[in-house]
Amino acid sequence: MNVRKHPRLLAPGAVLAIGSVMVVAVGIGHTWSDALISEIFVVVIALFDFFLAGTKGDVGAIYRRRTDERQREVIMKSSRLAMLVMFALCYGVAFILIALNKNYWQEDVIGSAGGVAFFVGMTIFGVHDEVADSSSRGIMSTEEVKPPM
Amino acid sequence: MKNEVREFRRKRELSQADLAEGLGVSRQTVIAIESGRYSPSLPLAFRIAKFFEVPVETMFDPSEEEVQ
């Protein structure tokens, strides 16, 4: 089934796909009965996402990826909040592990990757100096703009 | 930013859903614009003005702090 034609299936489809890979990992690393329990959780989350994608408000539109400009701003602000929480958790856990003299390289990798991704994002999505017209009087110009007489 | 969207919509006897459909945005966005909680982008502001066939400055009135 083509999920692009059925946008309501996008989020639950992604959860099912990624979740099922994790379930297989649980099955290999632990027991297949543990994997079955994990699969139940994955299906419940996917059903919850399917329900959310069917709602009429902003959340439904975001889950169906049918957003307008304000909803995209909501996504950006929510993503920023999520990033801050994840960074705080990542480094919080790392500090605890360091204090307990345990391995903390996973948190270090996740935190560093997040930081690098932030700078890569600024490079990709930011305004580049060389693109700006030096003769223009826009925000990139260093010329002093005199008010009209 | 103050705006006249609600007034113009009511004059035309349109619902928020009708206006949202005409502008290609969600009803929640129309509600947010009308209540002044969201300032639309330039393209959307022009789309709203064009929809009601008025100049954009008739539809939107920025405060002094916003233009300085």
Side-chain angles (χ1 to χ4, degrees), chain A residues 56-58 61 68-71 73, chain B residues 25-26 28-29 32 38 40-41 44:
Chain A
K56 277 192 173 171
D58 287 340
D68 60 30
E69 59 174 48
R70 185 188 58 82
Q71 288 163 336
E73 200 178 297
Chain B
V25 297
S26 65
Q28 286 78 16
T29 295
Y38 176 68
S41 66
L44 180 55

Side-chain angles (χ1 to χ4, degrees), chain B residues 32-46:
Chain B
I33 292 170
E34 285 188 353
S35 61
R37 281 187 291 111
Y38 176 68
S39 296
S41 66
L42 264 180
L44 180 55
F46 276 99

Side-chain angles (χ1 to χ4, degrees), chain A residues 90-110:
Chain A
C90 184
Y91 284 105
V93 170
F95 295 150
I96 292 167
L97 289 173
I98 290 166
L100 294 172
N101 200 21
K102 298 243 171 98
N103 260 336
Y104 63 93
W105 65 267
Q106 298 97 326
E107 283 73 22
D108 218 7
V109 168
I110 295 167

